[in-house]
Structure formats: structure tokens, C-alpha cells
Amino acid sequence: QTCALPILSYLCTLYAHCSQLLVQAGNIVNKYDTIAKVGSTGDSTGNHLHICVIVDGVYVNPKGYLN
């Protein structure tokens, strides 16, 4: 399962391999809100999370956006 959160008109974050989504389309989320539970979905050997950052429709390295 995936969860995409629009941040700005040109910026979106996407979280993949969630075992459970805790938000629905249209929900407003705030910093530190729990949006999903990490899981082991698809062809994987354990729990993990993919974090994607999308800028103007292009996937970019999320490293510069994480702190």
C-alpha cells in the first residue's frame, strides 16, 4: 500500500510498502502525525519503508529533504 502526501503545488512525498494506511484522501495531516504503519509487502524479506520525493512530477533523491 502507498500513501502520497501533497506538500506544495509542486512537491509530493510518497510512502510505499505500508502494512496499514491511517489516513484517507482529503485528510489534513500535521508534522509528527502517524500516517501509516510500516510493513513487509510485495517481494520483501522484512519490514521496510520506501520514501519518495516527487518535484514537478519527477522522482528526486529524498536525502536532501530528510533531517
Side-chain angles (χ1 to χ4, degrees):
Q1 296 187 57
T2 61
C3 179
L5 297 177
I7 307 299
L8 300 167
S9 62
Y10 62 91
L11 178 66
C12 178
T13 55
L14 184 131
Y15 305 87
H17 295 286
C18 304
S19 65
Q20 182 181 5
L21 300 178
L22 303 177
V23 294
Q24 299 175 356
N27 287 151
I28 295 173
V29 297
N30 297 297
K31 189 175 185 176
Y32 304 116
D33 284 353
T34 303
I35 59 170
K37 294 188 178 182
V38 174
S40 178
T41 62
D43 269 346
S44 68
T45 58
N47 292 346
H48 68 288
L49 177 69
H50 288 191
I51 300 173
C52 303
V53 175
I54 306 165
V55 178
D56 289 327
V58 177
Y59 286 80
V60 298
N61 187 339
K63 185 177 180 181
Y65 295 87
L66 302 173
N67 51 358

